[in-house]
Amino acid sequence: MTVAAPELSVAAADGHRWILIGRRPDAPRARLLWLPALGVGARHYLPFAEALAAHGIATYLHEWRGNGSSSLRPSREVDWGYREILALDLPASLQALRADDASLPLVIGGHSLGGQLACCFAGQHPEAFAGLWLIAAGTPYWRTFPPPRRWLLPLLFRFLPWLARRQGVLPGRRLGFGGTEARGLIADWARVGLCNRYAAAGLEADLEAGMRRVRAPVTGLLPAHDWLAPRASMQALVDKLPDAPARILDLDEATAPLTPAGHFAWMKQPEEVARAFAASDLKKFSPEC
């Protein structure tokens, strides 16, 4: 099988620019728009994209603001949150894919925060996607975590936004959490962790109501020993899409012995993850006008 490596130049309405990296087999049966985890550059998912391409899935890796090929970096003067991602960046990536063989079913998916925002974006464009794929992704709401971690999380969700405001950015590399992150992004994320309601500061759209409009089938994969996104956390996220048929699969040592355990380790050996996603059912594709 021949696999092409397209790189699509994309620009948002506010001038932000990035590269949408693709891996496209010669005869794909579907396309995937993939959203990375917090602070993770798109290129780190290339082995995953190549594994999916081997199963006939043309995979395109979105780049978050502030990472990799993004033309922006967060600072005291440059800030953003969920609004810019959901209303500017992801629509631009979606438009780029519509121009690149719109006849194929389109799936959206993501890892960790990428999975959360994939759900939010699918809710704003419910007819655009034939499926929703999540791995190690769940609401950060503190009550969905087991004790004693759940008792510490509310403190974290207050401390990190305070630190980001004080520093101008969140110094995630030094903290071991994400990268250098925009303070608006951390504020939006922490708000979900405290109240379990998705919203974007400055965006009028009701993200929770949007997710209730999603009808595309959802496949969620749970890596073994992932304390950052336990089953209850993913289930609480999937529950926000009540009319979307969903299944959550455990990638434990018995069912997926070649998949390393943990929140990020699967990225090093993504073959079984790619196989599980490629076997997912996709609903009849009904593209938006």
Side-chain angles (χ1 to χ4, degrees):
M1 177 186 293
T2 302
V3 177
E7 294 192 352
L8 308 179
S9 297
V10 187
D14 66 347
H16 172 224
R17 302 180 307 281
W18 66 97
I19 301 297
L20 193 62
I21 307 171
R23 289 294 183 268
R24 191 180 193 281
D26 50 10
R29 57 188 177 90
R31 298 166 300 156
L32 169 66
L33 176 60
W34 187 255
L35 312 186
L38 178 71
V40 181
R43 289 192 176 277
H44 292 284
Y45 293 91
L46 281 173
F48 176 56
E50 289 161 359
L52 279 170
H55 289 279
I57 309 296
T59 302
Y60 295 84
L61 307 174
H62 180 75
E63 189 84 86
W64 292 136
R65 289 188 176 220
N67 287 340
S69 63
S70 168
S71 62
L72 297 176
R73 292 295 182 268
S75 67
R76 290 188 181 278
E77 294 74 32
V78 181
D79 189 31
W80 60 80
Y82 285 5
R83 182 186 73 85
E84 287 78 7
I85 292 171
L86 294 171
L88 298 176
D89 294 352
L90 289 176
S93 281
L94 177 59
Q95 186 59 40
L97 290 188
R98 283 175 171 155
D100 188 60
D101 199 347
S103 65
L104 293 172
L106 177 60
V107 183
I108 189 169
H111 176 205
S112 195
L113 179 64
Q116 297 175 58
L117 293 183
C119 292
C120 293
F121 189 64
Q124 299 305 298
H125 303 269
E127 298 303 322
F129 301 107
L132 184 56
W133 294 350
L134 313 173
I135 184 166
T139 171
Y141 184 43
W142 65 277
R143 290 185 184 274
T144 65
F145 287 76
R149 191 168 296 115
R150 71 161 61 177
W151 302 324
L152 300 175
L153 285 175
L155 298 176
L156 183 73
F157 292 137
R158 291 180 173 90
F159 171 71
L160 292 182
W162 172 84
L163 180 63
R165 289 193 302 271
R166 185 176 179 85
Q167 298 291 322
V169 298
L170 182 74
R173 298 276 182 235
R174 280 185 281 163
L175 296 173
F177 178 76
T180 301
E181 306 297 343
R183 58 190 180 276
L185 179 69
I186 294 303
D188 285 339
W189 167 81
R191 193 178 304 113
V192 182
L194 288 171
C195 68
N196 197 30
R197 181 172 179 81
Y198 284 89
L203 184 67
E204 293 184 1
D206 187 331
L207 301 182
E208 294 279 334
M211 285 189 279
R212 292 194 291 272
R213 295 195 297 266
V214 174
R215 302 293 186 272
V218 180
T219 297
L221 303 182
L222 287 166
H225 311 303
D226 181 9
W227 65 269
L228 287 170
R231 172 175 279 274
S233 170
M234 179 176 282
Q235 186 64 59
L237 177 61
V238 170
D239 286 347
K240 292 178 179 292
L241 296 78
D243 291 325
R247 59 174 185 161
I248 297 176
L249 306 176
D250 291 290
L251 297 175
D252 57 26
E253 289 87 347
T255 60
L258 300 182
T259 302
H263 196 67
F264 295 104
W266 68 270
M267 296 168 62
K268 299 176 181 179
Q269 295 177 244
E271 289 77 15
E272 291 195 44
V273 172
R275 186 180 300 111
F277 279 139
S280 300
D281 293 329
L282 302 180
K283 76 176 181 68
K284 181 178 173 59
F285 183 53
S286 177
E288 288 183 330
C289 296

